[in-house]
Amino acid sequence: LDAVTDPATGDVVCRSVLDGSDPNCVPWNIFTTGAVTQEQTDYLVLPLFARGTTDQTVVSGYVTADLGEYGVKLPAASNGVQVVLGYEDREENLDFNPDNGFREGEGAGQGGATGPVSGGYDVGEFFFEASIPVVEGMAFVEELKFDLAYRNSDYSTGITTDTYGLRAGWAINSDVKLRASLQRAVRAANIQELFLPQGFNLFDMSADPCGGPVDANGETAAGRTFAECELSGVTAAQFGNIPNSPAEQYNFLQGGNPNLDAEKADTVSFGVIWTPEFVNGLSLSLDYYDIEIEQGINSLNPEFILNECLDGNQAQCNKVNRGVAGDLWVGSDVNASGHIIALQDNLAIERVTGFDFVADYTMSLGDMGNLSFNNVLGLITTWDQQELAGAPVVDCKGNWGATCGFPTPDLQNNFRTTWDTPWDVTASAMWRYISEVKDLNANNVDLGAVSYLDMAAVWELSEEFSARMGINNVLDRAPPIAGGSAGAANQGNGNVFPGMYDALGRYWFIGLSLNL
């Protein structure tokens, strides 16, 4: 873009061509329609290439037994205890090889070098399950049954985990059933989390809390004093002169951690199922769940690290490295450029509670087939996150952005109506609802409530041949726009959140199936 007139020829050329710093440079004219040439594009475009492979090998075996055949059953039960005993060995490997353009960080907007990743691990797992009928066929206890499960996992990375669960089901009668469960779940670190090489990446921050000029009170625009900023490495000469990134993007050092422990989650749930005999075809269920995750594998939000440092957390100050001008964004040299260290670690604490309600009802239309209704409602009552122990608890229920990241609507509902016609055609319509989500970022871009309508049909042409077609998002509702620099660039895709919302509008599909 730094184009000048060549005094010898009168042509427009890059200044770097005249001074010899880049003789291959071609000026890029964006101010005239059709003026961008292939030569200009070729100079700007850098093809990047990376090749990655993953492989998984699983060898497992198990035995099952109905111990009732050998007389192993409880006195009040007519069926015996059933067990499963087994062992599994699993090996996983990943190899990722980017080209030099990736490795040297030459891609536009790359944020830093993309290094190769190569690693793997294996795990041996012993597991056991049992189903134990306790009471059957008694008044107010048509069936009472317990299910037990246990799994021990020994990883080559040096960690050993135990997973277990206890589930109970109590059928009071044919109308009412109660259920409950208690479970310990674990998730071991994946290969990227273990072996990702350290390198720069970018994070969004509207401004450095210590950046920009200071006011008459000696405070920055964020209200930070020199004493606070000094904790992060700012000198007296730098304070008041630290440049903010015009792109609102700053450097952080990412990377894996081969010493990661497994995440642990404890889940408790209670539920009731009601299938009233006096309403044929109706089934209602309501479940409550409480999930708490500890030692969550995550990298701390770099902005959180910086603010914790400014608030006096010395452990986090050790992760803040200021550049020559006191900045956190100029340059891409890990040894010289300002940045914040945010490697993978066992840090996060998270608790989620809520209710799931499911209603099913099927009615006969006589000669016109059957009409079915299904409604699934999810209500989140708690979604608390902590970046690490002792950090403030952030309420993510119904919010997005900041430490919450991806949107967490507190209410979602899917209602489907299905018509089984007598003409071998099954047609359905579904309403999807997502409640409003508030923005925790400084931009305050709230995501409004959204409703979608989907329609689909399947035509069974014969026993072997069927056709299906449908339209998702029939009314072509646009997704809520979150904004590029408000956090959606990292947590979503540009300025929207695919997966939560239909990013591409109306979607048609058609398919044919042949079953031989």
Side-chain angles (χ1 to χ4, degrees), residues 202-512:
L202 298 174
F203 72 96
D204 295 319
M205 184 168 63
S206 58
D208 185 338
C210 296
V214 298
D215 59 20
N217 297 320
E219 296 181 348
T220 65
R224 294 295 185 174
T225 65
F226 172 66
E228 292 172 324
C229 293
E230 187 179 24
L231 297 173
S232 69
V234 175
T235 66
Q238 293 169 344
F239 189 63
N241 301 300
I242 298 174
N244 281 311
S245 167
E248 299 184 357
Q249 292 181 315
Y250 296 80
N251 293 331
F252 78 97
L253 185 67
Q254 68 176 9
N257 181 354
N259 298 317
L260 287 171
D261 203 347
E263 295 180 342
K264 297 179 176 62
D266 292 316
T267 303
V268 178
S269 68
F270 305 94
V272 58
I273 306 171
W274 185 36
T275 53
E277 186 177 355
F278 58 86
V279 183
N280 186 37
L282 176 65
S283 175
L284 304 173
S285 68
L286 177 65
D287 289 275
Y288 168 80
Y289 58 86
D290 186 328
I291 305 170
E292 186 168 359
I293 301 175
E294 295 182 343
Q295 297 186 168
I297 299 172
N298 201 356
S299 57
L300 288 178
N301 183 296
E303 186 174 2
F304 170 84
I305 293 175
L306 179 58
N307 285 317
E308 280 286 295
C309 169
L310 300 181
D311 290 338
N313 188 334
Q314 186 58 51
Q316 302 308 318
C317 288
N318 295 333
K319 302 175 182 177
V320 181
N321 295 294
R322 294 280 179 178
V324 174
D327 64 274
L328 294 170
W329 62 278
V330 178
S332 58
D333 185 345
V334 174
N335 297 315
S337 302
H339 63 277
I340 295 175
I341 301 174
L343 306 179
Q344 295 287 334
D345 208 342
N346 291 103
L347 299 165
I349 301 172
E350 190 169 356
R351 185 177 180 222
V352 180
T353 66
F355 293 89
D356 287 334
F357 174 73
V358 180
D360 288 292
Y361 178 62
T362 301
M363 59 182 296
S364 174
L365 299 179
D367 294 339
M368 299 299 290
N370 296 316
L371 195 61
S372 301
F373 304 94
N374 171 261
N375 191 86
V376 179
L377 182 148
L379 176 66
I380 294 174
T381 54
T382 304
W383 193 305
D384 291 340
Q385 289 188 190
Q386 286 179 276
E387 291 281 277
L388 72 168
V393 176
V394 179
D395 181 9
C396 294
K397 175 176 65 71
N399 297 315
W400 79 277
T403 57
C404 294
F406 201 80
T408 52
D410 55 7
L411 176 64
Q412 295 189 70
N413 191 85
N414 291 343
F415 176 69
R416 182 188 296 274
T417 300
T418 304
W419 180 22
D420 292 317
T421 75
W423 309 292
D424 297 323
V425 174
T426 301
S428 67
M430 184 168 72
W431 166 55
R432 293 180 283 138
Y433 174 78
I434 304 172
S435 63
E436 180 184 17
V437 182
K438 299 289 187 179
D439 185 8
L440 297 184
N441 296 299
N443 293 16
N444 295 319
V445 181
D446 297 336
L447 310 178
V450 179
S451 289
Y452 296 110
L453 175 63
D454 302 335
M455 302 185 71
V458 178
W459 183 14
E460 300 290 344
L461 299 170
S462 66
E463 292 184 359
E464 298 83 15
F465 196 61
S466 65
R468 63 188 183 278
M469 67 171 298
I471 309 174
N472 292 341
N473 192 2
V474 174
L475 303 179
D476 199 21
R477 291 291 306 274
I481 304 299
S485 63
N490 289 337
Q491 301 294 336
N493 185 355
N495 58 5
V496 298
F497 289 99
M500 178 62 67
Y501 306 102
D502 288 9
L504 301 179
R506 185 183 296 118
Y507 176 81
W508 299 68
F509 64 90
I510 186 170
L512 302 173

